[in-house]
Amino acid sequence: MKYFFVYLCLLKALKKPAPSLIPRSGEEGELVNCYSCNITLDNGSIFWVESIDKSTANGYVIEKETRIKTYKNLPLNTINLSQLKIKKYKGFYEHMFINGYDFILKDITRYIEVEFFIIKTIHNIKQFIFNKTPLQKSKRTDVLKILIEKYSTKNVEFNIVSLMMHIHSSKYFNHPDKDTATSLLKLYLNSFVESGEIIKTKGIDYKLTGKAIVTLENYENEERKHQENLRLQRIITLATIIMALLAAIQADLIKMPTLFDLT
């Protein structure tokens, strides 16, 4: 029976079928443990498997143009392991088995469980180290630079969560100081709204305005002038010290050692 291994793979995966919406965050996301199964048909369409019996796979095909589900039954003896694709969701991690052979090798042997455990352990170590480091408080101008860098090209909308991820990465969600950092960032965004660098669009979303670039350029020009003034002050101070030393030497207030005695 050439379809025995196809049946075995689908039977194993469909004991934990994936729901229509798979949680990918929070406590619900952490408890996820399920599979989605599909079969690539000869005409290139994708058959999504919902259940099986001893001789058929039951599921549907989504029409490309209308996006309508067409339900049908597929005889198992027409399916090869090379056509079978199974995706495993475990916690926040997922893995696509490229065919039935890959599924047998990695899932039925529990190899993928070891891989997920290693990935999760490494992630937890990185998160532990990240949590021990206080979240760096970005300055107002630093936040404006990030906004222009990330969102000005396509002029896309953003919100407080996406901005925090750009600044601190997704590990920010589990940091003990995340609420404090989020509150500070909200204050910055409100100040940008008041001064016109961003506008509030709908709900919790924001969008950059042209004034953001003008404000940043003005700040950078002022910062450049400030640095030039500091450099000029250092040069003047150094020149003043040198002139004072020369004046003291000429007045014999400071005796210089004799390097060469020509008498």
Side-chain angles (χ1 to χ4, degrees):
M1 301 174 68
K2 70 174 187 178
Y3 61 86
F4 171 75
F5 288 108
V6 172
Y7 175 80
L8 184 65
C9 292
L10 290 174
L11 182 66
K12 169 84 164 52
L14 291 173
K15 287 181 179 179
K16 298 178 180 178
S20 56
L21 292 176
I22 304 173
R24 307 313 293 141
S25 62
E27 293 182 2
E28 290 184 354
E30 194 170 355
L31 296 175
V32 165
N33 185 13
C34 60
Y35 300 84
S36 64
C37 310
N38 69 71
I39 296 164
T40 305
L41 302 180
D42 293 336
N43 62 4
S45 58
I46 304 299
F47 178 82
W48 293 93
V49 185
E50 290 186 320
S51 64
I52 59 168
D53 52 42
K54 292 183 178 180
S55 60
T56 60
N58 312 306
Y60 59 88
V61 174
I62 300 177
E63 301 296 335
K64 292 183 179 179
E65 295 182 359
T66 62
R67 307 305 298 172
I68 296 175
K69 292 181 180 180
T70 302
Y71 288 88
K72 59 176 63 179
N73 300 325
L74 194 65
L76 290 178
N77 59 9
T78 64
I79 306 170
N80 296 317
L81 284 172
S82 58
Q83 297 174 277
L84 183 61
K85 285 186 173 59
I86 298 175
K87 194 169 189 178
K88 180 180 178 67
Y89 301 87
K90 182 71 178 286
F92 303 121
Y93 311 103
E94 54 192 62
H95 180 84
M96 172 65 81
F97 303 97
I98 58 176
N99 52 46
Y101 303 102
D102 190 35
F103 183 76
I104 293 171
L105 178 65
K106 294 182 178 178
D107 191 272
I108 293 181
T109 62
R110 300 188 67 80
Y111 168 88
I112 195 64
E113 296 290 339
V114 176
E115 184 175 307
F116 278 159
F117 174 78
I118 294 172
I119 293 172
K120 184 177 181 179
T121 301
I122 293 173
H123 171 79
N124 289 341
I125 292 172
K126 289 182 178 179
Q127 184 70 54
F128 175 80
I129 296 172
F130 181 78
N131 288 352
K132 291 298 181 181
T133 305
L135 290 177
Q136 185 177 0
K137 296 179 180 179
S138 302
K139 296 180 181 178
R140 191 175 188 270
T141 50
D142 293 334
V143 174
L144 186 58
K145 286 179 182 178
I146 293 172
L147 287 174
I148 293 174
E149 178 185 345
K150 299 295 183 183
Y151 304 109
S152 64
T153 305
K154 296 182 179 180
N155 201 22
V156 295
E157 295 181 353
F158 62 92
N159 54 51
I160 189 76
V161 175
S162 62
L163 183 55
M164 286 298 285
M165 287 185 64
H166 280 307
I167 296 173
H168 299 294
S169 82
S170 59
K171 290 193 282 294
Y172 135 81
F173 290 108
N174 294 314
H175 196 284
D177 296 335
K178 70 172 184 177
D179 292 336
T180 302
T182 302
S183 298
L184 178 61
L185 193 57
K186 284 181 179 178
L187 290 176
Y188 280 147
L189 293 181
N190 289 336
S191 73
F192 287 137
V193 172
E194 292 176 1
S195 55
E197 284 81 16
I198 63 175
I199 57 173
K200 213 164 186 182
T201 54
K202 54 184 178 180
I204 60 173
D205 292 332
Y206 299 87
K207 197 172 186 179
L208 280 172
T209 69
K211 188 180 178 182
I213 296 177
V214 176
T215 300
L216 183 60
E217 288 179 347
N218 289 339
Y219 168 77
E220 289 178 341
N221 289 334
E222 291 297 324
E223 184 66 18
R224 194 179 302 111
K225 290 179 182 178
H226 177 65
Q227 294 299 327
E228 289 175 355
N229 288 335
L230 289 178
R231 185 163 56 88
L232 182 60
Q233 288 177 11
R234 286 193 291 267
I235 292 173
I236 293 173
T237 301
L238 181 60
T240 301
I241 293 172
I242 292 174
M243 291 176 64
L245 287 173
L246 291 175
I249 292 170
Q250 290 177 353
D252 287 334
L253 296 177
I254 298 177
K255 298 292 184 180
M256 296 295 291
T258 303
L259 298 179
F260 300 100
D261 187 359
L262 302 178
T263 57

